[in-house]
């Protein structure tokens, strides 16, 4: 496991030594904010999508096609939102 460093609001990503995971100095989000974490969250999205046979599991196909509003709350990197917007541009 890679060493951990906490970034303050004045720390530059460029100043973090290679091999260290980066974290924002923020108690509201305590997980890493580096590319490895983004990749992990996106991979998790693809696994869940595969297991449930799609991006959602509700009888709302017609509503999505007609352009209802959908709230993205806590959807990680936004990959789910992008997939849904590509499938239902309305």
């Amino acid at each position: 496991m890679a060493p951990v460093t906490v970034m303050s609001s004045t720390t530059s990503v460029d100043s973090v030594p290679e091999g260290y995971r980066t974290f924002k100095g923020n108690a509201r989000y305590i997980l890493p904010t580096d590319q490895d974490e983004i990749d992990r969250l996106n991979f998790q999205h693809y696994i869940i999508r595969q297991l449930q046979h799609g991006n959602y599991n509700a009888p709302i196909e017609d509503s999505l096609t007609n352009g209802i509003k959908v709230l993205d709350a806590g959807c990680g990197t936004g990959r789910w939102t992008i997939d849904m917007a590509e499938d239902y541009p309305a």
Side-chain angles (χ1 to χ4, degrees), residues 4 6-7 10 14 16-17 24 26 36 41 50-51 61 65-66 71 73 76 78-80 84 87-89:
V4 173
V6 176
M7 295 178 64
T10 59
D14 296 330
V16 176
K24 290 184 179 179
N26 181 341
D36 286 342
L41 288 169
Q50 182 69 28
L51 291 172
E61 179 82 26
T65 301
N66 292 333
L71 175 65
R79 183 73 254 165
W80 177 84
M84 290 294 288
D87 292 344
Y88 301 98

Side-chain angles (χ1 to χ4, degrees), residues 4-8 11 16 20-26:
V4 173
T5 188
V6 176
M7 295 178 64
S8 72
T11 303
V16 176
Y20 278 72
R21 303 284 311 265
T22 56
F23 292 73
K24 290 184 179 179
N26 181 341

Side-chain angles (χ1 to χ4, degrees), residues 9-81:
S9 60
T10 59
T11 303
S12 164
V13 173
D14 296 330
S15 68
V16 176
E18 186 176 337
Y20 278 72
R21 303 284 311 265
T22 56
F23 292 73
K24 290 184 179 179
N26 181 341
R28 292 186 183 149
Y29 189 78
I30 61 170
L31 295 175
T33 57
D34 56 13
Q35 189 61 48
D36 286 342
E37 180 67 0
I38 292 168
D39 293 342
R40 185 192 70 78
L41 288 169
N42 284 337
F43 184 64
Q44 177 179 294
H45 161 71
Y46 295 126
I47 290 171
I48 292 169
R49 186 179 68 183
Q50 182 69 28
L51 291 172
Q52 70 177 20
H53 307 290
N55 279 316
Y56 62 93
N57 192 8
I60 58 171
E61 179 82 26
D62 291 339
S63 297
L64 287 167
T65 301
N66 292 333
I68 62 169
K69 292 181 182 177
V70 176
L71 175 65
D72 171 350
C75 293
T77 64
R79 183 73 254 165
W80 177 84
T81 306

